[in-house]
Amino acid sequence: MIRLSQGPVKLAGVPVRNHLVLAAGVLGTCASSLRRMLRQGAGAVVTKSIGPEPRYGHAGPCVVVLEDGIMNAMGLPNPSREFVQELSSFDGEPVIVSIFGGNPEEFHEVAGWFAEKAEAFELNVSCPHAAGFGAQIGTNPDVVKACTEAVKEWKKPVWVKLTPNVTDITTIGRAAEEGGADAIVAINTVRAMRISTGLKRPVLGNKYGGLSGKAIFPIAVRCVYELYEACSIPIIGCGGVSCAEDVIEMMMAGAVGVEIGSAVVQDPEIFRHISEELYAPDGISSQEIVGCAHE
């Protein structure tokens, strides 16, 4: 397998320790869990998505572990502005704050709370199970562009996390780029559903949810590949990455780095384990393979 050279890198304007980033929504709910992931080898961490008002989320069950992935319908629970306290002890560490809102003004407001501590912002315009937020606005290219422009006013790197639940993801990617995004994150969860045949009802309290994990890896690779050909800004691959070989495949499709989420559930030390296989003292630069599948 191809192995990469070791050492700090920059992902879309953000200095990080390696190419592996903790995805939003997984152990990103407090300072201690974020620090734990950094200690376990994550190159950077993304917080839980924070919005303009506190939310309790959907009624349970909220998470179901399947044979090939995880299905969730959390409903964007978050403490809103109180989360600022969780980041008070971070200074210059690679923490990316995930934020959401229902319009550009709310995105701008929430970003302002974290402008001093965040190394970058990740815009959640892709959650598939929260009414009025996420994918409900992330399917409109004009709104995505406007939300990106609003957060860019804080002069921080902006990553825009896209939904795969659209006809043409490149249209949304180009809108983010036109709005000034520094990077695209592809992808968030795939809208999904399971029904309990014993109970004769949906297994999730919200009925519908988002599917993550190994089952969606081929979808994520396809989206990264399409976005690489349509956009000129960096792409962070996300969706089902669970081993070093997956990282290399994502990079060949066009990703400069990856986010890892569901794999942490099965292996809390996944970042260290992947790094041990991915990096070598005599490894090559990632630049040699990013997008090479397009040649």
Side-chain angles (χ1 to χ4, degrees):
M1 191 194 81
I2 294 172
R3 304 185 77 182
L4 304 180
S5 57
Q6 297 170 307
V9 296
K10 266 196 172 184
L11 293 183
V14 182
V16 299
R17 300 170 183 178
N18 57 51
H19 300 86
L20 314 175
V21 180
L22 175 72
V26 183
L27 292 178
T29 56
C30 61
S32 60
S33 62
L34 291 168
R35 288 193 185 282
R36 177 187 177 191
M37 290 297 99
L38 288 171
R39 288 197 303 270
Q40 293 288 1
V45 291
V46 183
T47 70
K48 180 78 177 81
S49 293
I50 305 299
E53 299 288 343
R55 289 174 59 92
Y56 293 100
H58 297 313
C62 296
V63 179
V64 177
V65 178
L66 306 174
E67 61 275 7
D68 53 359
I70 297 174
M71 193 169 61
N72 89 87
M74 298 299 295
L76 294 175
N78 77 100
S80 193
R81 191 165 187 165
E82 290 185 6
F83 192 75
V84 172
Q85 301 172 27
E86 293 294 333
L87 302 186
S88 61
S89 61
F90 289 94
D91 188 15
E93 294 178 86
V95 178
I96 297 141
V97 179
S98 175
I99 62 175
F100 70 92
N103 53 56
E105 292 74 24
E106 289 183 348
F107 270 96
H108 183 270
E109 177 189 4
V110 177
W113 301 340
F114 301 96
E116 290 186 7
K117 284 295 183 180
E119 286 296 305
F121 292 110
E122 181 176 280
L123 309 194
N124 183 347
V125 292
S126 45
C127 173
H129 47 72
F133 302 107
Q136 287 200 3
I137 65 172
T139 55
N140 185 323
D142 292 332
V143 176
V144 170
K145 178 183 177 182
C147 290
T148 305
E149 290 173 336
V151 178
K152 278 300 293 184
E153 291 181 9
W154 292 106
K155 309 300 182 184
K156 292 276 188 173
V158 172
W159 300 2
V160 180
K161 190 168 187 178
L162 305 186
T163 175
N165 304 302
V166 291
T167 303
D168 181 5
I169 195 170
T170 64
T171 300
I172 311 300
R174 285 193 294 267
E177 182 173 7
E178 290 170 5
D182 297 272
I184 295 164
V185 180
I187 53 178
N188 207 322
T189 55
V190 178
R191 190 167 166 83
M193 182 182 188
R194 291 292 299 269
I195 294 172
S196 167
T197 56
L199 297 176
K200 300 179 181 178
R201 64 187 186 192
V203 299
L204 290 171
N206 188 58
K207 298 181 181 178
Y208 309 103
L211 179 65
S212 62
K214 291 183 179 181
I216 73 167
F217 181 71
I219 299 172
V221 171
R222 185 265 301 171
C223 289
V224 169
Y225 192 94
E226 290 181 346
L227 287 162
Y228 183 83
E229 297 200 338
C231 304
S232 60
I233 58 177
I235 302 163
I236 313 296
C238 181
V241 175
S242 60
C243 64
E245 190 77 24
D246 290 347
V247 178
I248 296 299
E249 185 173 345
M250 276 287 196
M251 287 184 168
M252 289 182 172
V256 297
V258 302
E259 290 188 4
I260 300 173
S262 293
V264 177
V265 175
Q266 300 296 330
D267 180 7
E269 298 184 13
I270 188 73
F271 294 101
R272 180 172 61 82
H273 292 153
I274 289 180
S275 293
E276 289 172 352
E277 186 177 355
L278 181 64
Y279 296 106
D282 59 347
I284 66 171
S285 167
S286 62
Q287 295 177 352
E288 295 185 38
I289 61 168
V290 171
C292 70
H294 296 259
E295 298 174 356

